Amino acid sequence: MAKKTEKEIKNIWTYDPAPESSDHIQLKDKYDLYIDGKWVKPESGKYYDTSNPASTKKIASIAYGNDKDVDKAVRAARKAYKNVWSKMEPSERAKYIFRIARIMQERARELAVIECMDSGKVIREARDVDVPLACNHFFYYAGWADKLEYAFPNQKVESIGVAGQIIPWNFPLLMAAWKIAPALAAGNTVVLKPAETTPLTALKLAEIIHEAGLPAGVVNVVTGFGDTGAAIVNHHDIDKIAFTGSTGVGKLIQRAVAGTNKRVTLELGGKSANIILDDAPLDQAVEGIVNGIFFNQGHVCCAGSRLFVQENVADRVIQMLKARMETLVVGDPLDKNTDIGAINSKEQLATINKYIEIGKKEGADMYQSHINLPKSGYYCAPTLFTNMSQSSVIVKEEIFGPVLTIQTFRTIDEVIQKANNTEYGLAAGVWTSNGARIFNLTTKLKAGVVWANTYNRFDPVSPFGGYKESGFGREGGLHGLKSYVKLS
Amino acid sequence: MERLSVLKTYKLYIGGAFPRTESGRYYELKNGKGENIANVCLASRKDFRNAVVAARKASGGWSERSHFNRSQILYRIAEMMETRRAQFIEELISQGISKSKAEVEVDLSVDRLVYYAGWCDKYTQVLSSVNPVSSPHFNFSTVEPMGVISVISDVKNGLLDLVSVVAPIIAGGNTVVVLAAEQYPLSAITFAEVLNSSDVPGGVVNILTGKRSELLKHMASHMDVNAIAYSGTSGEERKLIEIESVENLKRSCYIDENWNDKGAQGLKFIEMFQEVKTTWHPIENIGGATSSY
């Protein structure tokens, strides 16, 4: 019998639907702003719709906060900082944060399902990655609250004040946790602005924070658009800005705060190199490539979007990769078999498609897995490009979607140069079974996170953040605390 | 007949050589009596760009040198400076600083170099961590130099301000382009002579003399500079530097210290110019044997 191709096998064997139940999810029709421990209507009276990118259907109305709402939130945060949070025994502060982590764990499945509905990410990832990491982040930083003097020996450690935090749509709840947990542990109060397309889990987190009994004003959530974020950045009584998002907006923020004494940490874009050497365990490497670029639909700032394969194994790796791509299931985010869910928004899908067109126009060869994309909703087939140069637009610019560019190299020196030849410096991957080669590469790659024989791993104890135009400051671990303390 | 002394021509220090400014321009440095004591190079933007090229070229080698070796080289700078103690003091006096102040400044500069020489092979240990992640991975964070740093020297002291900022930056494996204080250029160039005879590779420290007002913007905006350290600036200058630094997200570090204070030194001045890198690797665990026995 002739050997069947992956494509043929896929047509014979299909998965039955395995949807995660969403019956238990309780969402309100309309969400207000969470300011000073209360749900308050936006000053403008305006609301906007948040929708499910897998169906394009509306989920809820969300308050559109403006500068007056931000001012109210900052005042509440300042009051809570001065009167309560900075004065509280650090061990008591810790207990509040532990409580948040515990309630999140209790409500983990609910959070995971809502995350999928609002963002388009798949339930397997939301359930096993986003939500547990978010809970654990609170749990980890809670314990630091009364141990700060151990983190910064020989230095006087103080909190900063009111932190304005602006987060992206790719890991909505996890980014909220990355921002809020260390800020609270160090004794600061917070005004958080979730991304406009994914506000729901941050609002659920506000409910949890309320349930945990945190003093009013310690955490405030103001939903809205870019102008809402700008109001936070420009507010005179904000002491610290923490932003995760695009490099373009990061630069706008830096310009806006120039000449003020606001502290800033930025976690921005990337175009990370994932490097496969000829002695790598290729089966594992192919899984690593897939995880590197197709995890979370490629909406990952540290995505391994520039693949470099050593020339003598390139044909084999690309063939294996194409075969593996054929087996990826693209579809309903809430189905437990789905590997790749919906693209977060119509706008983002347009951006990805624009880059795919540019790649084709530049003369690169494109390969997409042969799948029928769902009829409604925003979807993009896993895509790879070969035969392009370092100067190609799709090699240089962050696409933020399931689009991989593949280049080859002969020597290690060559690949180090090529990998570092970018304005970004967020992450890198190296695949080889030779330990000495690993450290040669990992020490020379200019990136804040380097994965050797693995990719896209995250942990609350592990500092994350970039070199060069990928931003500055670290989040996570001991080093992540530093962004939220004043040392002298 | 009295012997005619030989005067020194003060030039720039770029890539381990002492070129004149490509612009051919100079400014007159006057002493307290209003007499001209030197025609000092008025460095141009092009000189700055050349210096960045030299600093970038030196960056790879310097950052990858063994930390122990860097430690010895910094110590060597201190040795060389000590032997020229009298010269530095005399030169500072010629630039209008009192004898007692000049002595303190030179002594502190030497001691500060010795202090940072000692840090070279220790700071990574103090700033690094092994992170106990929940998955089967070995994960550690360590620090690496940022790369090429612009330094705009403070204007309070002729020698000490410059040494106090440059020493921790190069101890941490970075290379620098320094703009010396406009009114104290002589000790900066004499310091370059010390560096030049201390096994510091050419290009690791580059020193320019010239006008702050002219070079500030370019030192902040250059796309191949990773960070800028600046001192002695007004509010307006700070804002300008911060705005000009944005385009390549240059780390901008305002340093406001009284370097005459003996305690104005420490790990934080090294850490300021380091990036944290976190590395992951899987740990194989097949069979489930534990380490208990």
Side-chain angles (χ1 to χ4, degrees):
Chain A
M1 199 173 94
K3 191 169 179 273
K4 286 193 161 48
T5 65
E6 277 76 11
K7 209 173 133 191
E8 285 164 338
I9 292 169
K10 196 167 69 175
N11 291 335
I12 300 165
W13 299 96
T14 54
Y15 291 101
D16 280 337
E20 172 75 30
S21 159
S22 56
D23 308 345
H24 56 106
I25 301 306
Q26 290 177 10
L27 284 167
K28 293 187 277 188
D29 292 335
K30 192 159 128 184
Y31 281 90
D32 289 319
L33 308 168
Y34 185 68
I35 296 174
D36 207 9
K38 294 181 285 286
W39 294 96
V40 298
K41 299 208 175 314
E43 286 286 333
S44 66
K46 280 191 208 158
Y47 291 82
Y48 71 95
D49 295 346
T50 187
S51 59
N52 184 337
S55 66
T56 74
K57 286 199 184 98
K58 175 180 170 179
I59 308 173
S61 295
I62 305 295
Y64 187 163
N66 65 13
D67 51 350
K68 292 198 189 87
D69 301 303
V70 167
D71 185 57
K72 229 190 271 175
V74 174
R75 279 168 201 270
R78 175 64 60 192
K79 193 177 72 192
Y81 175 73
K82 261 181 30 197
N83 300 342
V84 189
W85 199 244
S86 66
K87 287 192 181 147
M88 190 180 284
E89 276 290 317
S91 56
E92 292 299 298
R93 233 163 47 210
K95 278 156 58 184
Y96 275 113
I97 306 168
F98 276 125
R99 245 195 211 185
I100 297 172
R102 286 313 232 187
I103 301 174
M104 283 173 80
Q105 286 173 330
E106 287 162 10
R107 296 174 61 172
R109 188 58 57 89
E110 175 195 4
L111 291 167
V113 172
I114 295 172
E115 196 77 309
C116 293
M117 291 165 63
D118 206 18
S119 75
K121 68 171 62 211
V122 299
I123 186 67
R124 216 157 31 85
E125 290 171 5
R127 184 193 64 198
D128 299 347
V129 182
D130 294 61
V131 174
L133 277 177
C135 303
N136 298 356
H137 216 82
F138 277 100
F139 204 88
Y140 171 74
Y141 275 110
W144 269 123
D146 57 356
K147 302 170 190 68
L148 296 173
E149 67 275 20
Y150 292 91
F152 307 102
N154 296 317
Q155 292 173 88
K156 191 174 152 217
V157 191
E158 292 166 287
S159 53
I160 299 174
V162 178
Q165 306 181 318
I166 301 167
I167 56 171
W169 45 259
N170 58 341
F171 295 95
L173 181 69
L174 182 57
M175 291 301 106
W178 278 26
K179 294 282 181 287
I180 296 173
L184 296 188
N188 307 284
T189 56
V190 164
V191 177
L192 178 86
K193 193 203 88 76
E196 58 263 29
T197 60
T198 55
L200 288 177
T201 45
L203 293 163
K204 280 280 157 188
L205 180 60
E207 281 180 13
I208 289 169
I209 284 169
H210 197 81
E211 191 182 335
L214 246 77
V218 171
V219 175
N220 305 276
V221 179
V222 181
T223 46
F225 287 75
D227 54 338
T228 317
I232 292 176
V233 170
N234 294 321
H235 196 286
H236 66 91
D237 204 28
I238 291 263
D239 301 296
K240 192 226 152 64
I241 306 284
F243 171 75
T244 297
S246 72
T247 292
V249 175
K251 288 180 182 177
L252 287 178
I253 291 174
Q254 269 295 89
R255 285 202 180 87
V257 302
T260 69
N261 279 321
K262 287 175 190 163
R263 292 157 187 253
V264 181
T265 45
L266 302 172
E267 205 272 87
L268 309 176
K271 193 75 188 178
S272 299
N274 198 0
I275 300 167
I276 317 293
L277 302 188
D278 58 5
D279 63 352
L282 293 186
D283 287 319
Q284 288 171 40
V286 167
E287 289 308 305
I289 297 167
V290 167
N291 188 41
I293 187 63
F294 301 129
F295 174 60
N296 202 37
Q297 296 72 250
H299 301 329
V300 184
C301 46
C302 53
S305 52
R306 281 188 302 149
L307 181 67
F308 291 95
V309 191
Q310 202 154 18
E311 211 171 77
N312 50 335
V313 293
D315 288 346
R316 196 156 150 238
V317 168
I318 292 167
Q319 186 207 340
M320 289 164 76
L321 181 59
K322 285 177 178 171
R324 181 68 179 87
M325 278 163 70
E326 291 298 338
T327 66
L328 293 172
V329 179
V330 182
D332 179 10
L334 279 173
D335 191 307
K336 282 169 258 186
N337 293 321
T338 305
D339 295 304
I340 298 179
I343 299 301
N344 185 267
S345 65
K346 196 175 170 186
E347 291 73 25
Q348 186 55 27
L349 182 59
T351 302
I352 296 166
N353 286 333
K354 180 193 83 183
Y355 277 112
I356 289 176
E357 285 311 308
I358 290 172
K360 287 196 276 192
K361 275 204 193 107
E362 283 181 316
D365 296 333
M366 184 182 76
Y367 181 89
Q368 288 187 312
S369 49
H370 299 79
I371 38 170
N372 299 318
L373 296 177
K375 298 236 162 28
S376 67
Y378 313 124
Y379 288 94
C380 179
T383 305
L384 66 78
F385 280 99
T386 52
N387 290 328
M388 72 210 75
S389 71
Q390 278 282 94
S391 58
S392 302
V393 171
I394 53 169
V395 171
K396 280 165 35 187
E397 295 182 13
E398 183 174 42
I399 298 173
F400 225 62
V403 181
L404 180 68
T405 63
I406 307 181
Q407 292 173 272
T408 60
F409 66 94
R410 284 190 186 173
T411 67
I412 289 177
D413 282 355
E414 178 193 348
V415 78
I416 290 169
Q417 276 197 5
K418 282 181 165 171
N420 284 339
N421 185 8
T422 165
E423 57 264 40
Y424 294 114
L426 192 49
V430 176
W431 297 82
T432 165
S433 43
N434 181 326
R437 280 178 155 188
I438 289 177
F439 285 108
N440 180 24
L441 281 147
T442 57
T443 52
K444 287 179 183 157
L445 292 168
K446 296 282 179 217
V449 182
V450 185
W451 287 288
N453 292 325
T454 183
Y455 206 95
N456 270 346
R457 293 278 170 183
F458 310 94
D459 196 282
V461 309
S462 178
F464 184 91
Y467 287 21
K468 302 198 275 186
E469 291 186 34
S470 290
F472 37 74
R474 294 292 177 268
E475 292 182 305
L478 167 64
H479 296 84
L481 268 180
K482 222 187 137 200
S483 311
Y484 288 98
V485 293
K486 218 189 288 176
L487 300 172
S488 50
Chain B
M1 208 171 114
E2 206 185 319
R3 181 181 171 271
L4 184 68
S5 60
V6 179
L7 296 174
K8 181 158 101 183
T9 305
Y10 287 88
K11 296 188 285 185
L12 307 176
Y13 184 53
I14 298 174
F18 292 88
R20 287 199 170 83
T21 165
E22 63 80 37
S23 68
R25 304 175 309 163
Y26 70 100
Y27 68 99
E28 292 182 351
L29 187 71
K30 312 271 193 205
N31 66 9
K33 295 179 207 151
E35 297 159 348
N36 189 23
I37 53 170
N39 293 320
V40 181
C41 282
L42 188 59
S44 66
R45 300 178 204 177
K46 174 67 174 156
D47 292 318
F48 172 68
R49 291 201 298 271
N50 290 343
V52 171
V53 171
R56 177 60 65 196
K57 204 169 150 199
S59 161
W62 184 243
S63 66
E64 285 170 29
R65 237 165 227 261
S66 79
H67 291 225
F68 181 73
N69 184 237
R70 281 213 298 265
S71 181
Q72 289 189 306
I73 291 174
L74 260 84
Y75 189 80
R76 182 71 177 160
I77 304 172
E79 286 180 351
M80 288 289 121
M81 208 163 177
E82 182 80 41
T83 61
R84 291 186 182 224
R85 187 171 178 276
Q87 184 198 346
F88 273 110
I89 291 170
E90 198 187 321
E91 209 169 45
L92 285 168
I93 294 169
S94 80
Q95 293 171 97
I97 292 167
S98 76
K99 183 161 184 282
S100 58
K101 273 194 177 163
E103 282 174 353
V104 170
E105 203 184 313
V106 176
D107 292 347
L108 258 180
S109 299
V110 174
D111 291 353
R112 204 147 275 166
L113 281 160
V114 172
Y115 174 78
Y116 284 112
W119 263 124
C120 290
D121 52 1
K122 296 168 192 69
Y123 69 89
T124 44
Q125 288 182 309
V126 181
L127 299 177
S128 298
S129 60
V130 170
N131 312 309
V133 293
S134 301
S135 54
H137 291 89
F138 185 71
N139 174 303
F140 63 96
S141 298
T142 187
V143 292
E144 290 184 348
M146 284 180 173
V148 175
I149 320 289
S150 284
V151 175
I152 295 168
S153 185
D154 208 343
V155 294
K156 296 198 269 295
N157 297 293
L159 177 68
L160 182 60
D161 294 357
L162 194 152
V163 170
S164 299
V165 178
V166 169
I169 295 178
I170 62 171
N174 299 286
T175 60
V176 291
V177 180
V178 191
L179 176 64
E182 204 169 312
Q183 61 273 49
Y184 303 118
L186 305 189
S187 345
I189 296 303
T190 304
F191 179 58
E193 293 162 13
V194 166
L195 295 168
N196 197 245
S197 54
S198 307
D199 302 323
V200 180
V204 170
V205 181
N206 304 275
I207 300 180
L208 307 178
T209 54
K211 285 203 187 310
R212 247 176 127 80
S213 55
E214 215 176 58
L215 290 178
L216 200 85
K217 192 175 159 196
H218 303 281
M219 295 182 76
S221 64
H222 196 294
M223 291 296 280
D224 201 29
V225 171
N226 300 91
I228 179 166
Y230 56 105
S231 306
T233 39
S234 66
E236 272 310 298
E237 274 181 346
R238 277 192 72 177
K239 190 171 178 184
L240 174 77
I241 289 171
E242 286 180 13
I243 287 179
E244 292 296 332
S245 301
V246 170
E247 201 43 47
N248 70 337
L249 287 180
K250 193 175 284 103
R251 283 68 170 132
S252 102
C253 309
Y254 178 61
I255 302 176
D256 184 20
E257 288 286 328
N258 177 15
W259 298 117
N260 289 298
D261 179 354
K262 226 174 165 274
Q265 55 187 20
L267 182 60
K268 70 172 177 184
F269 298 109
I270 298 176
E271 192 181 6
M272 229 176 250
F273 303 97
Q274 300 290 312
E275 293 283 353
V276 176
K277 176 187 273 183
T278 300
T279 305
W280 295 67
H281 196 279
I283 299 172
E284 185 178 79
N285 185 7
I286 298 172
T290 67
S291 56
S292 59
Y293 60 91

